[in-house]
Amino acid sequence: MFADRAKIFIRSGKGGDGHVSFRRELFVPNGGPDGGDGGKGGDVIFEVDEGLNTLYDFRHKRKFSAQDGEQGGKRRCHGGNGKDIVLKVPPGTVIKEAESGKVIADMSGDNVRQVVLTGGKGGLGNMHFATSTMQVPKYAQPGQSAKELWVSLELKVIADVGLVGFPNVGKSTLLSRVTNARPKIANYHFTTLSPNLGVVDLEGGRGFVIADIPGLIEGASEGVGLGHEFLRHIERTKAIIHMVDAASTEGRDPIDDIHKINSELAAYNEELANRPQVIAANKIDAIYDDGQDPVARLKEEFEPKGIRVFPISAVSGQGLSELLYYVRELLDTLPAEDVIFEPEYFPDEVLIEENLPYTVTKSAEEENTYIVEGPKIEKMLGYTNLDSEKGFAFFQKFLKDTGILDELEAAGIQEGDTVRMYGLQFDYYK
């Protein structure tokens, strides 16, 4: 079964908590802190598997979690890191944030392995918090929280040329004749229920990949019929071949067909309608000589606009060579790079800025001491390296942007007073 979309829930591993413990040795009655650090949580990684061509595996299982990091131990023992979870996807899969639809990663080209959610950092054990004024720290840093996200997966086939047209114009017949693809062929609408890819082999190794996009109908861009299900597969193509029934065997006007398809492409994605186009006027062997030349009408309508028209017969092979070599020359004038969708959503930056509460209180036990607590503080301390200049600058900005400094001043703090945040302690100065 072909499946080109899926929505799944992913979760990275939580960082292991730091440990609180103290040395207990013979003749050392008051040993120092020796609590170890927690292990890092596992990452959620997407990896391209060239052997896959569908997202079917994600239809039955929708929730995927990496392993949490282990808690730190006594005697400075470091907790074990959580195992990563690696999700295999076919090449061409685009990973998006489910709610906004923004691109997180495009698993195409050189991007064959992408860490989408990083595991939480392990918390520091209490051995890190001993100071000259706090020699028996009873606090260890909690591990950084896991990150959770609903993502949508979309498979957009990777082809140089997209073959589009109304049902029954002969696209599958053309593909079976000029490539190694073997699509099902029958005379009814939407016989092609998944995009068929084939490689066109030309002399000198100058072939290209062509994708037969299932038949479009009016309203496809709005989800009518199956058109909307497959329009996404045209987005990567560099050029488009419009195939029309020049003989009008089903009573449709080929010129009108092309205008309608271009309208659907533009309605779905304006850029698609501006891609280089070629018209394949098929079924010329079935044209009745009634004094009208439909191929001449097509050329008169579209060639002044720079769109070449090639009369062909997909059944007999007439005109196919001229069409294919022209398409190859057209591709040679276009950028060689694949169409890659740039990232728009960065989970590690967005998810870390959750609006978590905090409290600011004046200590009832210690004079001139203020205590700041709350999960947001723990989260911030879990991922900030206060020993570095950059980390400390981030910490200062965090205090200002969250309103903690304003809260401290409202509580009556004065210069030189002490601020305590779990295992962190510092003097307040403006």
Side-chain angles (χ1 to χ4, degrees):
M1 177 180 176
F2 182 79
D4 62 356
R5 286 188 302 170
K7 182 179 177 181
I8 62 173
F9 174 83
I10 55 176
R11 175 190 180 275
S12 64
K14 176 189 178 299
D17 295 336
H19 190 69
V20 177
S21 61
F22 299 90
R23 289 170 56 202
R24 292 290 181 265
E25 299 176 21
L26 193 62
F27 309 120
V28 185
N30 296 312
D34 69 349
D37 302 341
K40 177 184 174 298
D43 298 336
V44 179
I45 302 170
F46 284 81
E47 191 171 87
V48 169
D49 185 338
E50 296 287 348
L52 296 176
N53 59 8
T54 174
L55 296 171
Y56 182 73
D57 290 345
F58 297 100
R59 287 292 178 94
H60 300 292
K61 184 179 178 182
R62 295 180 180 270
K63 294 189 176 182
F64 301 87
S65 298
Q67 191 178 40
D68 293 341
E70 293 181 354
Q71 183 179 352
K74 299 178 181 180
R75 300 180 182 176
R76 299 175 178 254
C77 288
H78 196 291
N81 294 335
K83 290 183 179 179
D84 301 333
I85 185 169
V86 179
L87 305 179
K88 300 294 184 71
V89 294
T93 300
V94 179
I95 305 164
K96 297 182 177 181
E97 196 274 321
E99 186 174 348
S100 66
K102 292 183 177 179
V103 175
I104 297 173
D106 185 351
M107 307 304 293
S108 306
D110 295 331
N111 189 28
V112 296
R113 185 178 171 87
Q114 174 90 30
V115 178
V116 172
L117 291 182
T118 57
K121 285 174 56 178
L124 299 176
N126 70 333
M127 64 181 179
H128 294 278
F129 298 105
T131 64
S132 58
T133 58
M134 188 190 297
Q135 297 183 2
V136 188
K138 296 181 180 179
Y139 167 79
Q141 194 178 45
Q144 189 179 347
S145 302
K147 300 183 182 74
E148 300 178 348
L149 191 64
W150 280 95
V151 297
S152 60
L153 308 179
E154 292 185 2
L155 178 58
K156 299 175 189 283
V157 299
I158 302 175
D160 300 305
V161 179
L163 182 60
V164 300
F166 274 72
N168 299 332
V169 295
K171 300 192 308 301
S172 295
T173 303
L174 173 68
L175 194 73
S176 66
R177 187 173 187 93
V178 303
T179 76
N180 55 358
R182 292 294 176 265
K184 294 179 181 178
I185 300 171
N187 185 30
Y188 51 89
H189 292 346
F190 290 114
T191 177
T192 307
L193 295 183
S194 62
N196 286 301
L197 266 68
V199 178
V200 177
D201 292 320
L202 300 177
E203 292 181 6
R206 300 175 64 245
F208 55 87
V209 179
I210 187 170
D212 166 22
I213 309 301
L216 301 179
I217 60 174
E218 280 188 273
S221 60
E222 300 171 0
V224 176
L226 296 179
H228 193 227
E229 298 293 316
F230 300 107
L231 274 167
R232 69 175 62 89
H233 296 297
I234 313 176
E235 290 187 86
R236 289 197 197 276
T237 59
K238 301 170 187 174
I240 295 174
I241 297 177
H242 284 268
M243 182 173 262
V244 292
D245 177 1
S248 299
T249 58
E250 293 194 350
R252 291 196 310 269
D253 179 9
I255 293 177
D256 187 48
D257 280 1
I258 292 172
H259 286 309
K260 285 177 178 176
I261 287 177
N262 274 334
S263 295
E264 294 304 323
L265 295 179
Y268 179 76
N269 183 339
E270 184 68 38
E271 186 187 347
L272 288 180
N274 297 323
R275 298 268 168 88
Q277 300 181 4
V278 181
I279 294 173
N282 191 29
K283 304 186 182 182
I284 58 171
D285 49 342
I287 295 176
Y288 292 101
D289 186 6
D290 59 358
Q292 295 184 350
D293 185 351
V295 174
R297 287 180 57 230
L298 284 164
K299 289 185 176 183
E300 183 180 341
E301 175 74 16
F302 294 104
E303 290 200 341
K305 302 173 183 177
I307 302 175
R308 288 285 303 275
V309 177
F310 288 86
I312 67 166
S313 169
V315 173
S316 69
Q318 182 181 349
L320 294 185
S321 179
E322 293 85 350
L323 169 67
L324 298 177
Y325 275 99
Y326 174 79
V327 171
R328 177 66 268 175
E329 292 172 4
L330 178 62
L331 291 173
D332 289 341
T333 67
L334 302 175
E337 297 81 14
D338 292 328
V339 177
I340 304 293
F341 298 92
E342 295 298 325
E344 306 167 307
Y345 186 94
F346 303 91
D348 281 346
E349 294 181 13
V350 176
L351 299 179
I352 217 163
E353 296 174 357
E354 296 174 352
N355 186 23
L356 299 174
Y358 62 87
T359 59
V360 176
T361 57
K362 188 172 184 179
S363 174
E365 302 171 356
E366 300 173 85
E367 192 176 354
N368 301 325
T369 298
Y370 293 79
I371 300 171
V372 182
E373 292 181 311
K376 187 166 189 174
I377 311 302
E378 287 189 294
K379 192 178 183 78
M380 184 276 300
L381 292 174
Y383 63 75
T384 306
N385 179 13
L386 298 180
D387 294 330
S388 71
E389 182 178 345
K390 183 178 179 181
F392 191 73
F394 175 80
F395 170 67
Q396 289 179 307
K397 184 175 185 297
F398 169 84
L399 295 180
K400 182 178 180 181
D401 292 348
T402 54
I404 291 176
L405 293 182
D406 293 337
E407 292 272 358
L408 285 168
E409 291 182 3
I413 196 169
Q414 301 294 321
E415 289 200 6
D417 287 352
T418 300
V419 178
R420 182 174 296 159
M421 298 181 181
Y422 297 97
L424 178 67
Q425 179 176 306
F426 61 92
D427 294 334
Y428 175 79
Y429 292 98
K430 287 189 178 181

